[in-house]
Amino acid sequence: MEFKHLCLVRFKEGVVVEDIIQELSKLAAELDMIKFFGWGKDVLNQDALTQGFTHVFSMCFDSAEDLAACMGHEKHGAFAATFMAALDKVVVMDFPFVVAKPAPQPEA
């Protein structure tokens, strides 16, 4: 079963978000246990719903063991210190991903 690592964040004032995203993308490319990495920025600015969170980051893993290996990896630890220092607020969730509606298969 696929596992997700999801982070909702609000960056501190003055943080160059593009630099953080670039470093996180580099980390994801270097760690083979990360099968997918993606991110996005809120576009609707509905503070009552977003509670001030502006960005979301998502990583996918083949198993809980791969997720744990990533979280324990020295490169993740080194980046996590930089990442956490740049954040004003964060919510992190790690969970098995249940597909309720599969993506359509491409036609042959």
Side-chain angles (χ1 to χ4, degrees), residues 6-86:
L6 186 72
C7 298
L8 298 172
V9 305
R10 178 174 66 200
F11 289 99
K12 291 179 180 175
E13 286 288 326
V15 169
V16 180
V17 175
E18 293 78 15
D19 291 348
I20 299 294
I21 293 170
Q22 183 177 7
E23 287 301 311
L24 189 50
S25 297
K26 180 181 170 188
L27 174 71
E30 292 175 354
L31 298 180
D32 290 338
M33 70 279 287
I34 299 172
K35 300 303 176 195
F36 167 86
F37 166 69
W39 67 275
K41 182 178 179 185
D42 180 60
V43 295
L44 297 180
N45 299 315
Q46 297 179 14
D47 284 341
L49 296 176
T50 63
Q51 299 179 28
F53 292 101
T54 58
H55 291 76
V56 62
F57 298 93
S58 178
M59 292 182 180
C60 296
F61 301 87
D62 284 338
S63 66
E65 293 78 17
D66 284 351
L67 170 62
C70 179
M71 297 301 116
H73 196 283
E74 65 183 283
K75 288 183 179 182
H76 179 273
F79 176 76
T82 300
F83 187 64
M84 295 304 288

